[in-house]
Amino acid sequence: MKIQESAENYLETILILSQRQPYVRSIDIATELEFSKPSVSVAMKNLRQNDLIIMNEDGHITLTPSGLAIAAKMYERHTLISRMLMKLGVNEKTAVEDACRIEHVISEESFDALKRHVAEMLNDHSQN
């Protein structure tokens, strides 16, 4: 399933917030992303309709298995790309911003190649 970049960003944000706090609400997402509450509400409705999140009666948001799969994929891409850019000497702020854009457009093939390359680099360093 192909989803929009904004939906991927929301799902990734929900994943990150859920790792930092006991539950995630729309207001937490709005605060984290610096978006308006109405914008986040519309996005949450769309994510619910696509079965990517569940929102309980208290407004607590949970990723469905398919939402979690997308969020984890984006988070892995974001983390690896930003770390790689910082290793190349890019400052952290720029590396994180660039990774946020790259993670949505890089092909599966290219990302897998980057992952293999990074793993090889780490193995080479541990053997020295």
Side-chain angles (χ1 to χ4, degrees), residues 88-101:
L88 293 171
V90 177
N91 76 65
E92 183 176 357
K93 182 179 185 304
T94 303
V96 168
E97 289 170 358
D98 287 348
C100 198
R101 287 188 293 275

Side-chain angles (χ1 to χ4, degrees), residues 42-58:
V42 168
M44 294 306 104
K45 179 182 178 197
N46 291 334
L47 293 176
R48 271 197 320 274
Q49 289 174 341
N50 287 302
D51 295 319
L52 298 171
I53 65 166
I54 298 167
M55 187 180 293
N56 73 11
E57 62 279 352
D58 295 325

Side-chain angles (χ1 to χ4, degrees), residues 3 6 23 27 41 58 67 118 127:
I3 67 167
S6 62
Y23 53 84
I27 190 67
S41 292
D58 295 325
V118 168
Q127 293 173 4

Side-chain angles (χ1 to χ4, degrees), residues 11-27:
L11 294 170
E12 183 182 9
T13 300
I14 294 166
L15 175 64
I16 292 166
L17 288 171
S18 70
Q19 293 171 343
R20 290 198 311 229
Q21 54 198 55
Y23 53 84
V24 178
R25 300 165 300 158
S26 291
I27 190 67

